Amino acid sequence: MPESTAIGPASYSAILRRSFRKAFPPAVRGEGVYLWDARGKQYLDFSGSAAVNFIGHGVAEIAAAMAAQAKQLEFVHSSQFTTPVAEEYASELIDFAGKNFAGGCVYFTCGGSESVETALKLARQYQVEIGQNKRHQVISRGQSYHGSTLGALSVSGNKRRREMYLPMVREFAHVAFPYCYRCAFECTDGCRNCGQEYAAELEKAIEAAEGEVAAFIVEPVSGATLGAVVPPPGYLQSVADICRRHGVLLIADEVMTGMGRTGRHFAVEHWEVAPDLLVTAKGLSSGYAPLGAVLVSKRVAEAVAHGSGAFLHGFTYNSHPISLAAGRAVLRLVQERRLVQAADSECQGSMAATLRQGLESLRDAKTVGDVRGIGLLWGVEFVADKTTKRPFDAQLNFAGRVAQASMRRGLLVYPMQGCVDGIAGDHLLIAPPAVITTEQIDWAVKQLREAIEEAVP
Ligand SMILES: Cc1ncc(COP(=O)(O)O)c(C=O)c1O
């Protein structure tokens, strides 16, 4: 198996990898927080791959549940059948989502982007069902990521990931986003009051669109693009209120933050916000199978049920029984092992609180400008100058250098660039499985500190 690649017809892999320039070690095994490559090198998965794994790698019960489902019934098409696993799991997820989704229903897909596409189309259909045919625009935030399919990309604000495809996507308004470390309102009160100002920008954009807005999509805690930015108090509540007043659906994109990652079943619970649609993936199956879901509130479900009676959308593999068996077994394990509690950084003595403390200790490093996050989702932002918050030159790829130095030490982190203006700004995302221990956190933070020092040019 070729590890490294050079550009040239005979020398690259048969896989179209993410990069022709980077070496990818072949991974062969996982257990708990660890992964091993074909050479036997061990890695501590401090980012849960990309905030995917929540229950740990190599859990035999999940593989057994998937195998049992495959033996019993591998697939049926959702236009012809439903399945026991789909019905039971959907009910369990609705229960897990709590009162916001009571009486609602679930649409299963194969991942985050498919779920975002589904939510965008369902929002549009809802508006048509209730006679609001004009409403088709979806507003999103300037620095955001909602997926890589063209619809999801059109509502994403991640410059690096979308710029080349811009001529192919339909553009709607992107509004300002709270980012307290670099607050646009230059708050001097620790951003206790700017939430309303950011929310007001959404209201302006809705009004400017003259009755054409169908939905607003938001990551309750910003994921990869900004690096675990937690909104200021009151922001999400105001956003929800504005949406409701203007007949705009609120879509919470919890692909990264859902299913316990932030120490609540879903991140919106921190702010007691009730979205109309909630998109989730990643931790839903913890990576054991491709799986995503859209939780649909009663109001939206009823509009379709009592209106045209059919959702005009579908993928061959929605509600795939083997993926659902994986997701259902993951949900059972999350509850049995109380992993949402382990991920609650506000709860003293939890693994998330230990992680927060460990990462906070990095603040004294010369290049660490900010440490932020919630639960088991954290961002570490690097700067060339701590006083002015000047970022590194993007060409240096400082976050990538830290990730490479970490990997050499057997530590996996998730590097990103662009948090300052879409191009400049380096940060890491840290999102370990909830089964991580105090000793493993201590070891990981020590390696990370050394890697950060090594990356300094
Ligand atoms: C917030 C958010 N939405 C959507 C997506 C897209 O999900 P997927 O990569 O599973 O298609 C991601 C992926 O990172 C994400 O973080």
Side-chain angles (χ1 to χ4, degrees):
M1 230 178 300
E3 179 164 324
S4 58
T5 54
I7 297 176
S11 56
Y12 52 74
S13 156
I15 293 278
L16 177 49
R17 296 176 179 173
R18 285 202 177 211
S19 168
F20 284 94
R21 298 213 162 83
K22 187 182 153 193
F24 296 90
V28 293
R29 193 165 81 80
E31 192 182 322
V33 294
Y34 295 111
L35 291 167
W36 285 269
D37 71 18
R39 291 187 184 153
K41 183 172 164 116
Q42 176 179 296
Y43 304 86
L44 192 151
D45 186 4
F46 210 27
S47 55
S49 299
V52 174
N53 189 298
F54 190 60
I55 65 164
H57 296 280
V59 178
E61 286 119 281
I62 314 298
M66 294 171 72
Q69 182 61 51
K71 275 189 206 148
Q72 177 80 28
L73 175 68
E74 82 297 342
F75 175 74
V76 285
H77 196 266
S78 58
S79 67
Q80 294 165 329
F81 289 103
T82 185
T83 58
V85 66
E87 297 294 335
E88 289 158 14
Y89 180 35
S91 299
E92 289 162 11
L93 262 185
I94 287 291
D95 285 347
F96 184 75
K99 62 178 189 328
N100 289 349
F101 287 93
C105 50
V106 183
Y107 191 96
F108 288 113
T109 71
C110 295
S113 301
E114 278 190 9
S115 295
V116 167
E117 297 290 334
T118 302
L120 300 182
K121 287 171 77 177
L122 186 51
R124 163 68 182 156
Q125 184 165 341
Y126 165 82
Q127 300 290 4
V128 174
E129 298 282 5
I130 64 163
Q132 294 283 314
N133 294 34
K134 241 176 91 177
R135 292 188 182 270
H136 66 280
Q137 299 192 26
V138 179
I139 297 182
S140 57
R141 301 197 303 178
Q143 284 265 50
S144 58
Y145 182 62
H146 298 293
S148 60
T149 48
L150 291 177
L153 209 57
S154 80
V155 294
S156 296
N158 186 311
K159 217 175 190 169
R160 282 175 179 264
R161 291 183 177 177
R162 69 201 295 269
E163 206 145 65
M164 184 196 298
Y165 304 105
L166 276 183
M168 299 166 74
V169 301
R170 183 80 198 267
E171 281 275 67
F172 303 123
H174 298 279
V175 294
F177 47 90
Y179 177 11
C180 296
Y181 180 59
R182 298 178 185 279
C183 185
F185 296 101
E186 293 173 4
C187 294
T188 49
D189 63 353
C191 285
R192 270 194 289 279
N193 294 300
C194 61
Q196 312 305 323
E197 315 246 16
Y198 285 106
E201 305 234 342
L202 170 64
E203 187 150 36
K204 267 191 242 152
I206 292 174
E207 283 164 359
E210 298 179 341
E212 289 194 347
V213 180
F216 173 58
I217 184 166
V218 60
E219 297 164 86
V221 176
S222 173
T225 313
L226 285 183
V229 167
V230 179
Y235 169 73
L236 281 173
Q237 292 93 325
S238 297
V239 157
D241 181 50
I242 290 165
C243 287
R244 198 122 313 197
R245 279 195 279 109
H246 288 270
V248 167
L249 291 189
L250 177 62
I251 305 174
D253 182 346
E254 298 229 24
V255 166
M256 202 174 259
T257 55
M259 301 307 296
R261 171 63 61 195
T262 71
R264 297 289 182 276
H265 291 189
F266 293 100
V268 285
E269 293 164 26
H270 287 286
W271 299 279
E272 296 178 5
V273 162
D276 300 290
L277 298 169
L278 186 150
V279 178
T280 192
K282 294 189 185 261
L284 185 63
S285 67
S286 249
Y288 283 77
L291 184 62
V294 182
L295 306 192
V296 182
S297 63
K298 188 171 176 218
R299 175 160 79 112
V300 175
E302 281 185 343
V304 182
H306 303 318
S308 68
F311 181 28
L312 282 175
H313 176 69
F315 302 105
T316 297
Y317 288 140
N318 54 240
S319 281
H320 194 287
I322 300 173
S323 293
L324 299 187
R328 195 172 179 213
V330 166
L331 177 60
R332 192 173 310 139
L333 201 130
V334 165
Q335 292 177 310
E336 279 170 9
R337 302 202 184 159
R338 299 177 57 79
L339 296 184
V340 183
Q341 289 80 352
D344 185 355
S345 50
E346 288 153 23
C347 171
Q348 255 210 338
S350 68
M351 270 312 121
T354 308
L355 177 68
R356 184 186 63 204
Q357 259 173 9
L359 294 175
E360 289 282 359
S361 75
L362 295 172
R363 278 187 187 275
D364 63 7
K366 215 173 77 197
T367 55
V368 171
D370 194 26
V371 175
R372 56 190 175 237
I374 189 165
L376 285 172
L377 187 66
W378 289 82
V380 178
E381 181 170 336
F382 302 109
V383 286
D385 183 328
K386 274 172 111 153
T387 318
T388 61
K389 302 185 182 176
R390 178 171 55 84
F392 283 103
D393 182 342
Q395 296 295 329
L396 182 64
N397 187 12
F398 189 80
R401 287 166 67 107
V402 174
Q404 275 162 22
S406 299
M407 197 162 178
R408 283 195 291 276
R409 291 172 160 77
L411 181 74
L412 298 173
V413 293
Y414 184 9
M416 285 292 293
Q417 287 194 283
C419 54
V420 175
D421 57 7
I423 301 293
D426 290 84
H427 62 275
L428 298 181
L429 206 62
I430 307 292
V435 294
I436 196 165
T437 64
T438 304
E439 293 70 34
Q440 289 163 342
I441 291 172
D442 290 347
W443 181 86
V445 171
K446 183 168 176 287
Q447 302 312 310
L448 185 53
R449 176 181 286 281
E450 287 173 16
I452 292 169
E453 278 159 17
E454 190 186 315
V456 176

